[in-house]
Amino acid sequence: MIIQCKKLTKTYKGDEGAFKAVNNATFSVKQGDFVVILGHSGSGKTTLLSLVGGLTKPDQGEVLINKVSNWQQPDHCLSTMRNKTIGFIFQFASLIPTLNVLENMVLPLCFAKHHHDHTELAYDLLEQIGLADKGTAFPAQLSGGQQRRVAIARAFMNQPEIILADEPTGDLDEDTEGEILSLFKKYNENNTTFMVVTHNNDLGKSQNSPRTLHIRQGVVSSGDM
Ligand code: ADP
Ligand code: MG
């Protein structure tokens, strides 16, 4: 199992007292799985992803990535894990305005301390999302949807084992969404593991053998097991 979540709970304080944004979630994900997380707004999807990715610390339970517990390792090991093992696609991902597209793509590699020239990989990814001619453009010269696609492609730059994506195609038109979904499919066929939050039930259908996790008021259940 590449991801194991055991009795994972995250409590926040709301207007009406404490509530569990994620409540006692237990599930595992195998390498090469494509997991679709479905749930209404406010049900805990983003919280769940950030717990899995080690961005949020649970108040109970644990997450193991490749059998290592996120919070029972030294901080620098956790950040190395986040930088090298995981590619994050955030819901409101943005590019650094003063860097061009190529520089934005290569940026995460600086933190992951990759020292090779990854320009070729960056152009390969840009080509797959139909933006091969935009490498030297600045974000302000791209449409919102194009910026969004670059932010998605950027998550693949460190060649992560796991992609965690929060409503990645929510604001894209159908054609562009199709390009992103085939990018996901290609990487998934090469054994990259995906956990993708979506409102859109169709997203899973574009992939080979998706699994579904439902989340309702913080409670996670498997849709197909
Ligand atoms: P979703 O992504 O499914 O819309 P979230 O995980 O963002 O849901 O949020 C789940 C619940 O937790 C919501 O009620 C939200 O308001 C609350 N919440 C999320 N993050 C925080 C936070 N940092 N502090 C307090 N409450 C939060
Ligand atoms: Mg969310």
Side-chain angles (χ1 to χ4, degrees):
M1 292 294 169
I2 191 165
I3 301 169
Q4 288 170 282
C5 293
K6 299 181 180 172
K7 300 188 170 181
L8 204 55
T9 298
K10 179 69 194 176
T11 306
Y12 287 123
K13 285 178 189 59
D15 298 337
E16 288 147 34
F19 70 97
K20 292 172 175 167
V22 170
N23 188 354
N24 203 27
T26 297
F27 59 89
S28 301
V29 177
K30 286 201 298 289
Q31 187 173 23
D33 275 356
F34 194 102
V35 180
V36 174
I37 301 167
L38 284 170
H40 293 300
S41 174
S43 58
K45 304 181 298 296
T46 297
T47 305
L48 182 65
L49 270 198
S50 78
L51 286 165
V52 169
L55 296 168
T56 296
K57 189 173 183 174
D59 14 60
Q60 287 168 49
E62 63 175 346
V63 178
L64 291 87
I65 304 291
N66 285 320
K67 300 203 168 65
V68 178
S69 178
N70 275 354
W71 297 94
Q72 287 176 14
Q73 59 185 327
D75 279 357
H76 70 273
C77 296
L78 177 60
S79 17
T80 303
M81 188 285 288
R82 281 194 299 245
N83 286 330
K84 295 205 169 168
T85 310
I86 298 184
F88 290 97
I89 300 172
F90 295 105
Q91 196 167 3
F92 303 106
S94 53
L95 304 176
I96 312 279
T98 51
L99 300 178
N100 74 23
V101 165
L102 211 54
E103 290 161 347
N104 266 284
M105 297 272 291
V106 175
L107 188 64
L109 300 175
C110 302
F111 300 108
K113 299 192 173 63
H114 285 271
H115 295 298
H116 316 290
D117 180 8
H118 285 279
T119 312
E120 207 175 314
L121 175 60
Y123 269 113
D124 183 49
L125 282 162
L126 287 175
E127 192 166 342
Q128 293 181 64
I129 56 163
L131 295 176
D133 56 337
K134 299 290 187 195
T136 55
F138 285 90
Q141 297 169 311
L142 304 182
S143 71
Q146 289 172 332
Q147 292 182 36
R148 183 90 193 112
R149 277 139 79 190
V150 173
I152 291 172
R154 181 176 57 185
F156 291 85
M157 282 297 292
N158 57 350
Q159 297 170 284
E161 290 175 68
I162 301 168
I163 291 278
L164 301 177
D166 200 352
E167 307 198 25
T169 61
D171 49 3
L172 298 177
D173 60 67
E174 253 172 60
D175 287 349
T176 315
E177 180 179 29
E179 281 173 344
I180 297 301
L181 295 180
S182 39
L183 181 73
F184 284 9
K185 190 171 187 170
K186 185 179 142 195
Y187 275 82
N188 187 229
E189 282 165 354
N190 284 316
N191 232 10
T192 303
T193 306
F194 284 78
M195 288 188 77
V196 183
V197 165
T198 179
H199 280 309
N200 178 359
N201 221 338
D202 291 343
L203 192 147
K205 293 183 193 142
S206 65
Q207 306 298 319
N208 290 333
S209 42
R211 282 175 54 197
T212 309
L213 288 178
H214 292 277
I215 180 162
R216 290 183 194 88
Q217 296 187 330
V219 178
V220 175
S221 59
S222 294
D224 51 356
M225 284 166 76

